[in-house]
Amino acid sequence: MAVRIEEIRTDKPRIAIVGLGHIGPLGQYGTYPDGSKTCEAWDNLINGVNGIRLISHELFPDFAKYPNIRTRIGGFVDRSDDQLDDMLIRLGIISDLEFKSRAAKLASIAAKLALHDASLMQPYTIKKGIRRLTSYRVDPSIADEMAVIGGTGMGGASDSIVEAQQELESKVTTGDKLDPVWVFRALPGSLEENVTMDNSIFGESLGTLGECATGGHTTGLGKRIIEDEDAKA
């Protein structure tokens, strides 16, 4: 055990939360590029709506993968992958959707909702075939000074890691080449990697893994990174 003894710092900057983004069992919270704001999750929370419910194969088709799990009650995001893709497109993420795991899609949606809520995004035009499409990225003047911290309890990320390992074993057997983005599905850090790439953020990027306490760890680590002046946001 190591102990650091020093005077208590009194010059730490105060940290303000200027944008929120969320997607979970109670719905969404945050701001879309057109300025419209969704408060669904907050409204459900203060009205006492319960996000824990009976898990059915209709609401959660992936549950069929685990026939030996006896639990039939839990909290989950009841949006299909197609619905998540529609949300990503609305938020300006219009490429490589097929390479994102479900956990990465949820992280990308929450991050975009928060960044737009904080008014930190700028539109830009990209070419996709013969079309010109509008996407959004962090203001380039602050992109180097922003950090991204991804937290996972491995609940959703573990599926993509297992699938990536199975793909690797299959490719080794057949001699086929791996897709270049395979690594982004094979690592727990795929959450923050997707957020940094989706938003052109170039500052510090790292992940935390703390099971049920991951949210608290991630928030605390972000606060300390700003206090230590390793990032401004």
Side-chain angles (χ1 to χ4, degrees):
M1 181 179 72
V3 178
R4 185 175 70 178
I5 301 176
E6 61 180 27
E7 293 183 2
I8 297 175
R9 284 182 56 184
T10 59
D11 60 340
K12 292 184 178 181
R14 297 186 67 181
I15 311 301
I17 297 175
V18 296
L20 293 174
H22 171 83
I23 179 169
L26 291 182
Q28 310 166 51
Y29 184 94
T31 301
Y32 280 92
D34 60 6
S36 62
K37 186 157 186 168
T38 173
C39 298
E40 176 190 17
W42 177 251
D43 291 340
N44 284 333
L45 181 65
I46 63 175
N47 288 319
V49 176
N50 190 352
I52 306 302
R53 69 193 97 169
L54 181 67
I55 301 174
S56 68
H57 294 300
E58 290 75 22
L59 287 174
F60 192 34
D62 284 348
F63 201 62
K65 297 178 183 177
Y66 313 104
N68 295 325
I69 297 180
R70 297 183 180 180
T71 301
R72 292 292 180 269
I73 297 175
F76 55 92
V77 178
D78 59 352
R79 265 78 168 181
S80 68
D81 283 340
D82 287 342
Q83 289 174 317
L84 295 182
D85 287 347
D86 289 341
M87 293 177 65
L88 289 167
I89 292 170
R90 183 181 176 189
L91 288 163
I93 302 175
I94 51 184
S95 60
D96 299 328
L97 299 184
E98 67 272 22
F99 299 124
K100 290 182 182 290
S101 67
R102 183 175 176 86
K105 290 179 181 181
L106 294 172
S108 293
I109 289 169
K112 283 285 190 183
L113 289 171
L115 289 165
H116 282 290
D117 201 47
S119 300
L120 292 175
M121 304 295 278
Q122 288 188 348
Y124 71 104
T125 301
I126 62 174
K127 289 186 67 176
K128 192 175 177 70
I130 62 173
R131 296 180 297 166
R132 291 184 176 272
L133 304 172
T134 300
S135 188
Y136 301 86
R137 62 188 173 192
V138 163
D139 183 341
S141 67
I142 60 171
D144 290 333
E145 299 177 299
M146 292 189 68
V148 176
I149 306 171
T152 174
M154 296 302 291
S158 59
D159 285 347
S160 63
I161 293 172
V162 170
E163 290 169 0
Q165 177 63 26
Q166 293 171 342
E167 182 181 354
L168 174 61
E169 293 173 354
S170 173
K171 297 292 186 182
V172 169
T173 301
T174 62
D176 295 333
K177 293 182 179 180
L178 279 170
D179 192 286
V181 298
W182 170 85
V183 68
F184 295 121
R185 301 194 300 273
L187 300 173
S190 65
L191 304 186
E192 61 269 18
E193 290 162 1
N194 274 273
V195 172
T196 55
M197 291 187 294
D198 288 341
N199 301 289
S200 300
I201 297 173
F202 304 118
E204 190 170 352
S205 176
L206 66 151
T208 63
L209 179 60
E211 291 76 43
C212 295
T214 299
H217 292 164
T218 304
T219 303
L221 182 56
K223 176 177 179 289
R224 291 195 294 273
I225 285 176
I226 297 174
E227 285 179 341
D228 293 339
E229 300 181 354
D230 291 326
K232 289 186 177 179

